[in-house]
C-alpha cells in the first residue's frame, strides 16, 4: 500500500497512446534523407522532452545539415500522415474510464503541443473528454520548462478546482524524465517504461509496471475495479 491519493495526472505519448513508434518512424524517415540512422540509443535520450528540444538534440547528435526548424517542418509532414493511425495502449481505456466514472479527478500532462494532441487524438475524442483538463507543455505559456522540470505537473495540479497538494497527486508516466519531473514535484509516480529502458535508472519511481493492465487502483487508496462507488 502506498500513500493515498485523490487526483491522477497522466502523460500521453507512449503511456496512453502508442504514438512513440510513429515518432520513431517520422524521425527515422527524416534522418534517412541525409544518410543518418535514428537509433534507440539516440531515442532513449529524448523520451519525455518537448518537441523542439528533441529536434535540437537530433540535429546536433546526428550532425544533420539542416536547422532545427527545417527538421521540425519535415517531421510535421510525417506526423500528418502517421498520427491519425494512433491507437490507445492496452489498459488505457479501462483505467481512465474507471477513474472518471468513480469521480476521481484526472488530467492530462503531456509535453506535446495542442496541435499535436488533436492530430493524434482525432478519433479518440470521447476518451479525451474524460479528463478534467489537458495541459500541453509545448504550447502552454505557463509551462516554462519541459520535463524533467516539475513545472508541467505543478501547473496541471493547480488547474483542478480544489488545487490538491502535490502529495495527493499520482502521476502515470512512461519516461525517465517524467519520473524525475514527478518526483521533483513531490508526487508519487507509476511508470510503464519501454522494455528496453534500464530498470536501474527507474529506482525513483514509486511503482514500475509492464502494462497499465497491471495497475491496481486500491494500492493508492483509489476505488478498485470491482467495487467502484460511481458518481
Amino acid at each position: 500500500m502506498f500513500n493515498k491519493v485523490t487526483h491522477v495526472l497522466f502523460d500521453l505519448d507512449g503511456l496512453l497512446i502508442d504514438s512513440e513508434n510513429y515518432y520513431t518512424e517520422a524521425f527515422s524517415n527524416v534522418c534517412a534523407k541525409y544518410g543518418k540512422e535514428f537509433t534507440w540509443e539516440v531515442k532513449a535520450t529524448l523520451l519525455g522532452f518537448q518537441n523542439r528540444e528533441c529536434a535540437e538534440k537530433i540535429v546536433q547528435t546526428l550532425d544533420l545539415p539542416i536547422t532545427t526548424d527545417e527538421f521540425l517542418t519535415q517531421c510535421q509532414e510525417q506526423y500528418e500522415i502517421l498520427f491519425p493511425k494512433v491507437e490507445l495502449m492496452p489498459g488505457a481505456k479501462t483505467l481512465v474510464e474507471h477513474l472518471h466514472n468513480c469521480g476521481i479527478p484526472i488530467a492530462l500532462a503531456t509535453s506535446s503541443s495542442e496541435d499535436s494532441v488533436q492530430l493524434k487524438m482525432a478519433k479518440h475524442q470521447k476518451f479525451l473528454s474524460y479528463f478534467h483538463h489537458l495541459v500541453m507543455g509545448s504550447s502552454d505559456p505557463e509551462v516554462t520548462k519541459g520535463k524533467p522540470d516539475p513545472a508541467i505537473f505543478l501547473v496541471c495540479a493547480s488547474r483542478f478546482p480544489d488545487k490538491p497538494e502535490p502529495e495527493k497527486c499520482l502521476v502515470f508516466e512512461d519516461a525517465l524524465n517524467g519520473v524525475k519531473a514527478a518526483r521533483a514535484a513531490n508526487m508519487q509516480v507509476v511508470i510503464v517504461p519501454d522494455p528496453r529502458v534500464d530498470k536501474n535508472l527507474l529506482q525513483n519511481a514509486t511503482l514500475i509496471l509492464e502494462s497499465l493492465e497491471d495497475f491496481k487502483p486500491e494500492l493508492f487508496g483509489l476505488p478498485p475495479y470491482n467495487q467502484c462507488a460511481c458518481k
Side-chain angles (χ1 to χ4, degrees):
M1 186 74 173
F2 302 101
N3 293 334
K4 184 177 180 179
V5 299
T6 56
H7 297 65
V8 181
L9 314 181
F10 287 91
D11 178 43
L12 181 64
D13 295 290
L15 176 81
L16 296 178
I17 59 175
D18 69 350
S19 54
E20 286 299 337
N21 288 334
Y22 292 118
Y23 273 110
T24 298
E25 186 174 346
F27 293 161
S28 296
N29 289 344
V30 174
C31 292
K33 292 181 182 180
Y34 305 99
K36 304 290 185 176
E37 182 182 2
F38 181 70
T39 64
W40 164 251
E41 287 71 26
V42 176
K43 180 181 176 67
T45 67
L46 306 175
L47 296 175
F49 282 112
Q50 294 183 356
N51 204 27
R52 174 165 285 275
E53 292 176 292
C54 288
E56 289 172 348
K57 288 177 180 291
I58 293 171
V59 169
Q60 181 178 21
T61 301
L62 298 181
D63 194 24
L64 298 180
I66 55 176
T67 66
T68 297
D69 286 334
E70 288 170 334
F71 183 84
L72 286 169
T73 297
Q74 293 184 40
C75 284
Q76 185 60 35
E77 295 170 356
Q78 296 285 322
Y79 297 158
E80 290 174 4
I81 297 170
L82 298 170
F83 282 171
K85 304 176 185 178
V86 167
E87 298 293 345
L88 299 178
M89 294 289 275
K93 183 173 183 289
T94 300
L95 175 57
V96 168
E97 281 189 349
H98 169 72
L99 295 176
H100 171 75
N101 290 338
C102 292
I104 303 300
I106 59 176
L108 199 67
T110 173
S111 297
S112 291
S113 67
E114 182 175 1
D115 289 345
S116 177
V117 170
Q118 291 307 320
L119 190 58
K120 286 176 283 198
M121 303 303 288
K123 64 180 180 181
H124 303 295
Q125 290 300 303
K126 183 177 180 182
F127 181 79
L128 273 189
S129 73
Y130 296 137
F131 296 93
H132 180 268
H133 57 273
L134 315 178
V135 176
M136 294 161 282
S138 290
S139 56
D140 192 310
E142 286 191 48
V143 181
T144 54
K145 294 182 180 179
K147 303 170 188 176
D149 189 272
I152 190 168
F153 292 128
L154 294 173
V155 168
C156 191
S158 74
R159 291 182 183 171
F160 287 111
D162 54 349
K163 301 186 184 303
E165 293 296 322
E167 296 84 356
K168 295 296 185 181
C169 297
L170 177 64
V171 172
F172 279 84
E173 264 287 350
D174 72 307
L176 176 59
N177 277 331
V179 171
K180 291 179 178 178
R183 298 305 291 169
N186 204 25
M187 299 176 182
Q188 295 180 93
V189 55
V190 175
I191 186 169
V192 186
D194 185 296
R196 293 168 290 186
V197 173
D198 184 353
K199 299 300 188 295
N200 291 324
L201 299 176
L202 305 175
Q203 294 179 354
N204 285 335
T206 310
L207 180 64
I208 303 173
L209 299 177
E210 292 184 3
S211 168
L212 287 175
E213 294 177 308
D214 300 328
F215 181 66
K216 294 179 172 56
E218 59 270 25
L219 291 176
F220 292 89
L222 298 168
Y225 283 119
N226 62 353
Q227 48 179 326
C228 173
C230 296
K231 294 184 179 180

